[in-house]
Amino acid sequence: MIPYFQHPEYPDFVLFRCTPLHADLTAQGCARNFANKATIQCNRCATGQAHAALFSQSIDVSSKTKPSMPAQACVRCLAQTYRLLSGLFCTSCYNRTREVRLRKNARGLFPTKLAHSLRPACLLLDEDGAARLIDLPVCSGIEEARRIVHRLWPQATLADFEMR
């Protein structure tokens, strides 16, 4: 059961509290967000699905807000996002990688927190019996390396891994 209420400043609107979005929404707005897949939280929301069923005739499914691809996971932090930079990293992980590669953060200082965990790595791939060496400028470990190999070279397997 969804608790609805009227906001004192907007008495014409019947709202409910959307916990995933941390917002007060109308049922129509929730249905529109669900239909347009406005956010990752709206994509598989049971409340949004229920509201969409109620307002299925009046929902405008806009192609501008509907993502063209499903959300994917960042290979480092596994955060689900529609925007992967370089096809691998969320914005945050991409920025941390860039800081380590440039050897300075936004303040111009050496990024001490990440410098010890993000290091160059060498990968040995097995592509149908053919060996291939790949140098990664920055990597956090073998799990990230496996995910990178799976994303960039789906037919290959990681045969060996070495951090430098």
Side-chain angles (χ1 to χ4, degrees):
M1 182 70 181
I2 302 168
Y4 294 97
F5 63 93
Q6 288 185 319
H7 195 278
E9 294 179 21
Y10 307 103
D12 296 339
F13 292 106
V14 177
L15 306 170
F16 75 98
R17 183 71 183 167
C18 176
T19 307
L21 295 181
H22 305 289
D24 295 333
L25 299 175
T26 63
Q28 294 89 346
C30 175
R32 189 172 31 260
N33 284 349
F34 178 80
N36 290 334
K37 296 181 179 146
T39 68
I40 292 172
Q41 293 90 343
C42 296
N43 201 11
R44 287 183 235 134
C45 178
T47 305
Q49 188 175 13
H51 285 138
L54 290 173
F55 301 102
S56 62
Q57 302 300 323
S58 62
I59 297 174
D60 174 32
V61 179
S62 171
S63 62
K64 293 180 184 176
T65 59
K66 190 173 184 179
S68 59
M69 294 177 56
Q72 290 184 316
C74 170
V75 295
R76 183 165 299 143
C77 69
L78 302 176
Q80 294 287 321
T81 182
Y82 290 118
R83 183 176 180 208
L84 288 177
L85 302 170
S86 301
L88 299 171
F89 302 108
C90 66
T91 306
S92 178
C93 290
Y94 179 84
N95 288 338
R96 302 301 79 78
T97 300
R98 188 171 182 273
E99 288 175 0
V100 170
R101 289 177 71 185
L102 294 176
R103 303 183 61 78
K104 67 178 182 178
N105 60 19
R107 296 179 183 171
L109 304 172
F110 184 74
T112 55
K113 290 182 181 178
L114 294 174
H116 70 280
S117 63
L118 297 178
R119 301 191 329 243
C122 184
L123 310 178
L124 177 64
L125 303 183
D126 179 19
E127 294 179 301
D128 295 328
R132 181 175 179 181
L133 276 175
I134 304 291
D135 285 324
L136 295 178
V138 179
C139 184
S140 66
I142 192 165
E143 292 304 317
E144 177 183 336
R146 282 189 182 117
R147 290 187 289 268
I148 289 172
V149 169
H150 179 70
R151 181 87 41 94
L152 297 179
W153 302 281
Q155 72 283 359
T157 57
L158 182 62
D160 196 14
F161 171 81
E162 179 182 320
M163 291 285 280
R164 296 184 186 160

